[in-house]
Amino acid sequence: MPGDRTGFRARLRAPEPILGTFLKIPSTQPAEILATLGFDFVVIDEEHAPFNPETTDAILLACRAHGMAGLVRVRQPADILRVLDCGADGVLVPHVASPEIAREIVALARYSGARGLSPTTRAGTFGATDVAEHMRRQDQRCAVIAMIEDAECLDRIDAILATDGLDAVFIGRADLAASMGPAAANGGIERAVDLVLAGARDAGMPTLILSSDRTEADRFRSQGVTGFLTMSDQGFLREQAARMRDIFSRKV
């Protein structure tokens, strides 16, 4: 299928785990390197890194060239249209704290909802695809992932998970713990994560989580998590640079 070389949305719902990382460096090369290493997907972090529309566009093109899924963590729901038109395989949307927001982001990502139409974009093969076929393909291929990172989500999680058209949730444990305040202590954040995971299992909703520890990842896998993000391009650079610095600074 033109414009869908990764099948990311289908893979997201498959039982096999998929591995990705965040991109925070506004360059195509980290994405290219990660693709050659066999990462399943990357998330371009527009929320917390200095990306502009042009750099996001170029990185999505690099992902497509290497057959690796390229997602974007948008700053706000209004950015969903732009990144999908650029060919993003999906969007990660912060602070989906209510079923109303969940329904809004799904609608903004779907032509069957409220997505604005422009078939002359990369997503539409620059006008080479029949308009009706372009709309059908986009609604079929673009994944919508809600970030669960606000304490108020916990009382509404079942309603959020029941949102028609929502493809997955990502549990942002650090932000969720910060939002919970003192309630996150003494196992509070672990209980909150378990609550979300149990709700997702009951709803048949795929779940993603950030983890850099294989033992922890295996535990989450046993609880139904199938999508894993680990570190970021910045983190990989810093960790390896620190390791090499230590090697060369040792006294012989």
Side-chain angles (χ1 to χ4, degrees):
M1 178 184 296
D4 187 9
R5 298 176 61 188
T6 66
F8 176 79
R9 190 183 184 208
R11 295 187 68 195
L12 186 62
R13 292 188 168 276
E16 295 78 18
I18 53 176
L19 178 66
T21 189
F22 284 103
L23 296 183
K24 296 177 180 289
I25 300 171
S27 168
T28 63
Q29 292 183 3
E32 295 177 81
I33 293 167
L34 292 161
T36 63
L37 290 171
F39 276 72
D40 298 302
F41 68 101
V42 291
V43 178
I44 301 166
D45 193 0
E46 288 193 344
E47 185 186 21
H48 291 297
F51 290 100
N52 60 33
E54 291 78 15
T55 50
T56 293
D57 181 69
I59 294 167
L60 287 171
L61 178 58
C63 291
R64 178 169 295 207
H66 286 274
M68 178 178 65
L71 283 67
V72 182
R73 175 155 67 176
V74 295
R75 296 182 179 94
Q76 57 189 346
D79 295 326
I80 291 173
L81 173 62
R82 170 177 55 81
V83 302
L84 292 184
D85 279 352
C86 289
D89 292 278
V91 289
L92 188 64
V93 186
H95 301 295
V96 181
S98 70
E100 291 77 18
I101 299 174
R103 289 193 293 269
E104 176 193 12
I105 66 172
V106 170
L108 289 171
R110 305 273 188 256
Y111 285 123
S112 57
R115 178 176 171 180
L117 175 63
S118 177
T120 57
T121 60
R122 181 181 296 123
T125 59
F126 304 102
T129 304
D130 173 78
V131 172
E133 179 65 7
H134 161 67
M135 294 171 71
R136 184 191 69 80
R137 288 178 178 176
Q138 284 290 291
D139 280 3
Q140 184 181 69
R141 72 177 292 274
C142 296
V144 182
I145 305 170
M147 293 195 67
I148 304 302
E149 54 182 345
D150 301 278
E152 56 263 40
C153 289
L154 301 177
D155 292 332
R156 308 166 183 171
I157 191 61
D158 289 341
I160 293 170
L161 292 167
T163 303
D164 187 35
L166 187 65
D167 293 300
V169 293
F170 174 90
I171 305 174
R173 288 182 289 168
D175 283 297
L176 182 58
S179 178
M180 291 172 64
N186 301 315
I189 183 59
E190 288 80 10
R191 289 189 292 273
V193 170
D194 288 346
L195 174 71
V196 177
L197 290 175
R201 289 195 303 273
D202 290 344
M205 178 71 70
T207 309
L208 299 92
I209 206 158
L210 181 69
S211 178
S212 296
D213 180 270
R214 179 59 189 266
T215 300
E216 179 187 64
D218 287 343
R219 175 170 60 82
F220 282 130
R221 174 71 171 142
S222 71
Q223 293 178 277
V225 176
T226 55
F228 294 92
L229 286 118
T230 185
M231 299 179 64
S232 69
D233 52 358
Q234 287 179 338
F236 294 139
L237 174 62
R238 188 180 191 282
E239 184 175 275
Q240 181 65 4
R243 189 178 78 85
M244 296 306 295
R245 180 205 59 202
D246 290 345
I247 288 173
F248 280 89
S249 64
R250 291 174 190 162
K251 294 182 179 179
V252 178

Short mmCIF file of all heavy atoms in Angstrom, two decimals, residues 181-223:
data_model
loop_
_atom_site.label_atom_id
_atom_site.label_comp_id
_atom_site.label_asym_id
_atom_site.label_seq_id
_atom_site.Cartn_x
_atom_site.Cartn_y
_atom_site.Cartn_z
N GLY A 181 1.19 13.98 43.15
CA GLY A 181 1.77 14.59 44.34
C GLY A 181 2.07 13.55 45.40
O GLY A 181 2.54 12.45 45.09
N PRO A 182 1.80 13.86 46.67
CA PRO A 182 2.13 12.93 47.76
C PRO A 182 1.45 11.57 47.61
O PRO A 182 1.95 10.57 48.14
CB PRO A 182 1.62 13.66 49.01
CG PRO A 182 1.63 15.11 48.63
CD PRO A 182 1.28 15.15 47.17
N ALA A 183 0.34 11.51 46.88
CA ALA A 183 -0.37 10.25 46.71
C ALA A 183 0.44 9.24 45.91
O ALA A 183 0.14 8.03 45.94
CB ALA A 183 -1.72 10.49 46.04
N ALA A 184 1.46 9.70 45.20
CA ALA A 184 2.29 8.78 44.41
C ALA A 184 3.26 7.99 45.28
O ALA A 184 3.79 6.96 44.84
CB ALA A 184 3.07 9.56 43.35
N ALA A 185 3.50 8.46 46.50
CA ALA A 185 4.48 7.81 47.38
C ALA A 185 3.93 6.51 47.95
O ALA A 185 2.73 6.22 47.87
CB ALA A 185 4.86 8.77 48.51
N ASN A 186 4.84 5.73 48.50
CA ASN A 186 4.48 4.48 49.19
C ASN A 186 3.66 3.54 48.30
O ASN A 186 2.66 2.95 48.74
CB ASN A 186 3.70 4.80 50.47
CG ASN A 186 4.49 5.66 51.43
OD1 ASN A 186 5.67 5.41 51.67
ND2 ASN A 186 3.86 6.70 51.97
N GLY A 187 4.10 3.42 47.05
CA GLY A 187 3.44 2.49 46.13
C GLY A 187 2.24 3.06 45.40
O GLY A 187 1.60 2.35 44.62
N GLY A 188 1.95 4.34 45.62
CA GLY A 188 0.77 4.93 45.00
C GLY A 188 0.86 4.94 43.47
O GLY A 188 -0.13 4.65 42.79
N ILE A 189 2.02 5.29 42.93
CA ILE A 189 2.15 5.35 41.48
C ILE A 189 2.06 3.94 40.89
O ILE A 189 1.47 3.74 39.81
CB ILE A 189 3.47 6.05 41.07
CG1 ILE A 189 3.55 6.17 39.53
CG2 ILE A 189 4.68 5.35 41.63
CD1 ILE A 189 2.42 6.94 38.88
N GLU A 190 2.62 2.94 41.58
CA GLU A 190 2.54 1.57 41.09
C GLU A 190 1.08 1.10 41.05
O GLU A 190 0.66 0.44 40.08
CB GLU A 190 3.37 0.63 41.97
CG GLU A 190 4.87 0.78 41.81
CD GLU A 190 5.44 1.97 42.58
OE1 GLU A 190 4.69 2.58 43.39
OE2 GLU A 190 6.63 2.29 42.38
N ARG A 191 0.31 1.46 42.07
CA ARG A 191 -1.10 1.06 42.08
C ARG A 191 -1.87 1.78 40.96
O ARG A 191 -2.76 1.19 40.34
CB ARG A 191 -1.72 1.36 43.45
CG ARG A 191 -1.23 0.43 44.55
CD ARG A 191 -2.03 0.62 45.83
NE ARG A 191 -1.77 1.92 46.45
CZ ARG A 191 -0.77 2.16 47.30
NH1 ARG A 191 0.07 1.19 47.63
NH2 ARG A 191 -0.62 3.35 47.84
N ALA A 192 -1.51 3.03 40.71
CA ALA A 192 -2.17 3.77 39.64
C ALA A 192 -1.87 3.14 38.28
O ALA A 192 -2.77 2.99 37.44
CB ALA A 192 -1.72 5.23 39.66
N VAL A 193 -0.63 2.77 38.06
CA VAL A 193 -0.25 2.12 36.80
C VAL A 193 -0.98 0.79 36.66
O VAL A 193 -1.51 0.46 35.58
CB VAL A 193 1.27 1.94 36.71
CG1 VAL A 193 1.64 1.05 35.52
CG2 VAL A 193 1.97 3.29 36.60
N ASP A 194 -1.03 0.01 37.73
CA ASP A 194 -1.74 -1.26 37.69
C ASP A 194 -3.21 -1.07 37.37
O ASP A 194 -3.82 -1.88 36.65
CB ASP A 194 -1.59 -2.00 39.03
CG ASP A 194 -0.18 -2.55 39.25
OD1 ASP A 194 0.60 -2.60 38.27
OD2 ASP A 194 0.14 -2.89 40.41
N LEU A 195 -3.81 0.00 37.89
CA LEU A 195 -5.21 0.31 37.62
C LEU A 195 -5.43 0.55 36.13
O LEU A 195 -6.38 0.03 35.52
CB LEU A 195 -5.64 1.55 38.42
CG LEU A 195 -7.05 2.10 38.13
CD1 LEU A 195 -8.10 1.14 38.67
CD2 LEU A 195 -7.22 3.48 38.74
N VAL A 196 -4.54 1.34 35.53
CA VAL A 196 -4.66 1.63 34.09
C VAL A 196 -4.44 0.37 33.28
O VAL A 196 -5.19 0.09 32.32
CB VAL A 196 -3.67 2.73 33.67
CG1 VAL A 196 -3.74 2.98 32.16
CG2 VAL A 196 -3.95 4.03 34.43
N LEU A 197 -3.44 -0.43 33.65
CA LEU A 197 -3.17 -1.65 32.90
C LEU A 197 -4.33 -2.64 32.99
O LEU A 197 -4.67 -3.28 32.00
CB LEU A 197 -1.89 -2.30 33.43
CG LEU A 197 -0.58 -1.56 33.12
CD1 LEU A 197 0.59 -2.25 33.81
CD2 LEU A 197 -0.34 -1.49 31.62
N ALA A 198 -4.93 -2.75 34.15
CA ALA A 198 -6.07 -3.65 34.30
C ALA A 198 -7.24 -3.18 33.45
O ALA A 198 -7.91 -3.99 32.79
CB ALA A 198 -6.48 -3.74 35.77
N GLY A 199 -7.48 -1.87 33.45
CA GLY A 199 -8.56 -1.33 32.62
C GLY A 199 -8.29 -1.55 31.14
O GLY A 199 -9.22 -1.88 30.38
N ALA A 200 -7.04 -1.39 30.74
CA ALA A 200 -6.69 -1.59 29.33
C ALA A 200 -6.88 -3.05 28.93
O ALA A 200 -7.36 -3.34 27.83
CB ALA A 200 -5.25 -1.14 29.09
N ARG A 201 -6.48 -3.97 29.79
CA ARG A 201 -6.69 -5.39 29.49
C ARG A 201 -8.17 -5.70 29.32
O ARG A 201 -8.58 -6.38 28.38
CB ARG A 201 -6.09 -6.27 30.58
CG ARG A 201 -4.57 -6.30 30.61
CD ARG A 201 -4.07 -7.47 31.45
NE ARG A 201 -4.57 -7.43 32.82
CZ ARG A 201 -4.00 -6.77 33.82
NH1 ARG A 201 -2.91 -6.05 33.60
NH2 ARG A 201 -4.51 -6.80 35.03
N ASP A 202 -8.97 -5.18 30.22
CA ASP A 202 -10.41 -5.43 30.16
C ASP A 202 -11.03 -4.84 28.89
O ASP A 202 -11.97 -5.41 28.32
CB ASP A 202 -11.12 -4.83 31.38
CG ASP A 202 -10.79 -5.58 32.67
OD1 ASP A 202 -10.27 -6.72 32.57
OD2 ASP A 202 -11.02 -5.01 33.76
N ALA A 203 -10.49 -3.70 28.44
CA ALA A 203 -11.02 -3.03 27.26
C ALA A 203 -10.40 -3.53 25.96
O ALA A 203 -10.82 -3.12 24.88
CB ALA A 203 -10.80 -1.51 27.38
N GLY A 204 -9.38 -4.40 26.08
CA GLY A 204 -8.67 -4.85 24.88
C GLY A 204 -7.89 -3.73 24.22
O GLY A 204 -7.71 -3.73 23.00
N MET A 205 -7.41 -2.79 25.02
CA MET A 205 -6.70 -1.62 24.52
C MET A 205 -5.19 -1.81 24.62
O MET A 205 -4.67 -2.05 25.72
CB MET A 205 -7.10 -0.38 25.32
CG MET A 205 -6.39 0.91 24.91
SD MET A 205 -6.91 1.55 23.31
CE MET A 205 -8.59 2.08 23.69
N PRO A 206 -4.45 -1.71 23.52
CA PRO A 206 -2.99 -1.80 23.60
C PRO A 206 -2.41 -0.70 24.48
O PRO A 206 -2.94 0.42 24.53
CB PRO A 206 -2.54 -1.62 22.15
CG PRO A 206 -3.72 -2.04 21.33
CD PRO A 206 -4.92 -1.60 22.13
N THR A 207 -1.32 -1.04 25.16
CA THR A 207 -0.70 -0.10 26.09
C THR A 207 0.78 -0.01 25.79
O THR A 207 1.45 -1.00 25.49
CB THR A 207 -0.88 -0.57 27.54
OG1 THR A 207 -2.26 -0.86 27.77
CG2 THR A 207 -0.42 0.49 28.52
N LEU A 208 1.31 1.22 25.87
CA LEU A 208 2.74 1.48 25.73
C LEU A 208 3.26 2.07 27.02
O LEU A 208 2.51 2.74 27.76
CB LEU A 208 3.02 2.44 24.57
CG LEU A 208 2.61 2.02 23.17
CD1 LEU A 208 1.21 2.53 22.86
CD2 LEU A 208 3.59 2.57 22.14
N ILE A 209 4.55 1.85 27.27
CA ILE A 209 5.17 2.39 28.48
C ILE A 209 6.65 2.61 28.22
O ILE A 209 7.24 1.96 27.34
CB ILE A 209 4.94 1.44 29.68
CG1 ILE A 209 4.98 2.19 31.00
CG2 ILE A 209 5.92 0.26 29.67
CD1 ILE A 209 4.28 1.47 32.14
N LEU A 210 7.24 3.53 28.96
CA LEU A 210 8.67 3.81 28.86
C LEU A 210 9.41 2.96 29.88
O LEU A 210 9.08 2.96 31.07
CB LEU A 210 8.93 5.29 29.13
CG LEU A 210 10.38 5.78 29.04
CD1 LEU A 210 10.88 5.75 27.60
CD2 LEU A 210 10.49 7.20 29.60
N SER A 211 10.44 2.24 29.42
CA SER A 211 11.22 1.41 30.33
C SER A 211 12.61 1.22 29.76
O SER A 211 12.78 1.04 28.55
CB SER A 211 10.56 0.05 30.54
OG SER A 211 11.34 -0.76 31.40
N SER A 212 13.62 1.26 30.61
CA SER A 212 15.00 1.00 30.19
C SER A 212 15.58 -0.22 30.89
O SER A 212 16.77 -0.46 30.86
CB SER A 212 15.87 2.22 30.47
OG SER A 212 15.45 3.32 29.71
N ASP A 213 14.70 -0.99 31.52
CA ASP A 213 15.13 -2.16 32.28
C ASP A 213 14.41 -3.40 31.76
O ASP A 213 13.18 -3.43 31.72
CB ASP A 213 14.81 -1.94 33.76
CG ASP A 213 15.22 -3.11 34.62
OD1 ASP A 213 14.38 -4.03 34.79
OD2 ASP A 213 16.36 -3.13 35.10
N ARG A 214 15.16 -4.40 31.32
CA ARG A 214 14.55 -5.59 30.72
C ARG A 214 13.67 -6.34 31.72
O ARG A 214 12.58 -6.83 31.36
CB ARG A 214 15.64 -6.51 30.17
CG ARG A 214 15.11 -7.80 29.54
CD ARG A 214 14.15 -7.54 28.40
NE ARG A 214 13.50 -8.73 27.94
CZ ARG A 214 13.94 -9.49 26.93
NH1 ARG A 214 15.05 -9.15 26.28
NH2 ARG A 214 13.29 -10.58 26.57
N THR A 215 14.10 -6.45 32.96
CA THR A 215 13.29 -7.14 33.97
C THR A 215 11.96 -6.44 34.15
O THR A 215 10.89 -7.07 34.21
CB THR A 215 14.05 -7.23 35.30
OG1 THR A 215 15.27 -7.95 35.10
CG2 THR A 215 13.21 -7.94 36.35
N GLU A 216 12.01 -5.11 34.25
CA GLU A 216 10.79 -4.33 34.39
C GLU A 216 9.91 -4.49 33.15
O GLU A 216 8.68 -4.65 33.26
CB GLU A 216 11.13 -2.85 34.59
CG GLU A 216 9.92 -1.95 34.73
CD GLU A 216 10.29 -0.49 34.76
OE1 GLU A 216 10.83 0.01 33.75
OE2 GLU A 216 10.04 0.16 35.80
N ALA A 217 10.52 -4.45 31.97
CA ALA A 217 9.77 -4.59 30.73
C ALA A 217 9.07 -5.95 30.67
O ALA A 217 7.92 -6.06 30.24
CB ALA A 217 10.68 -4.39 29.53
N ASP A 218 9.76 -7.00 31.11
CA ASP A 218 9.15 -8.33 31.12
C ASP A 218 7.95 -8.37 32.06
O ASP A 218 6.93 -9.02 31.76
CB ASP A 218 10.18 -9.38 31.53
CG ASP A 218 11.21 -9.67 30.45
OD1 ASP A 218 10.95 -9.32 29.27
OD2 ASP A 218 12.27 -10.23 30.77
N ARG A 219 8.07 -7.67 33.19
CA ARG A 219 6.93 -7.64 34.12
C ARG A 219 5.75 -6.92 33.49
O ARG A 219 4.60 -7.39 33.57
CB ARG A 219 7.35 -6.94 35.42
CG ARG A 219 6.20 -6.74 36.41
CD ARG A 219 6.70 -6.27 37.75
NE ARG A 219 7.41 -5.01 37.68
CZ ARG A 219 6.82 -3.81 37.66
NH1 ARG A 219 5.48 -3.73 37.69
NH2 ARG A 219 7.53 -2.71 37.62
N PHE A 220 6.02 -5.79 32.84
CA PHE A 220 4.93 -5.08 32.17
C PHE A 220 4.35 -5.90 31.02
O PHE A 220 3.14 -5.87 30.77
CB PHE A 220 5.41 -3.72 31.66
CG PHE A 220 5.52 -2.68 32.72
CD1 PHE A 220 6.69 -1.93 32.87
CD2 PHE A 220 4.47 -2.42 33.59
CE1 PHE A 220 6.79 -0.96 33.84
CE2 PHE A 220 4.57 -1.45 34.58
CZ PHE A 220 5.73 -0.72 34.71
N ARG A 221 5.21 -6.63 30.33
CA ARG A 221 4.74 -7.50 29.26
C ARG A 221 3.75 -8.52 29.80
O ARG A 221 2.73 -8.82 29.18
CB ARG A 221 5.93 -8.19 28.60
CG ARG A 221 5.58 -9.23 27.54
CD ARG A 221 5.02 -8.61 26.30
NE ARG A 221 4.89 -9.59 25.24
CZ ARG A 221 3.89 -9.64 24.38
NH1 ARG A 221 2.92 -8.76 24.44
NH2 ARG A 221 3.86 -10.55 23.43
N SER A 222 4.03 -9.07 30.99
CA SER A 222 3.14 -10.05 31.60
C SER A 222 1.81 -9.43 32.00
O SER A 222 0.81 -10.15 32.18
CB SER A 222 3.81 -10.68 32.83
OG SER A 222 3.88 -9.75 33.91
N GLN A 223 1.79 -8.09 32.12
CA GLN A 223 0.55 -7.38 32.45
C GLN A 223 -0.17 -6.86 31.21
O GLN A 223 -1.15 -6.13 31.33
CB GLN A 223 0.86 -6.21 33.40
CG GLN A 223 1.34 -6.64 34.77
CD GLN A 223 1.67 -5.44 35.64
OE1 GLN A 223 2.76 -4.87 35.55
NE2 GLN A 223 0.73 -5.05 36.47
#
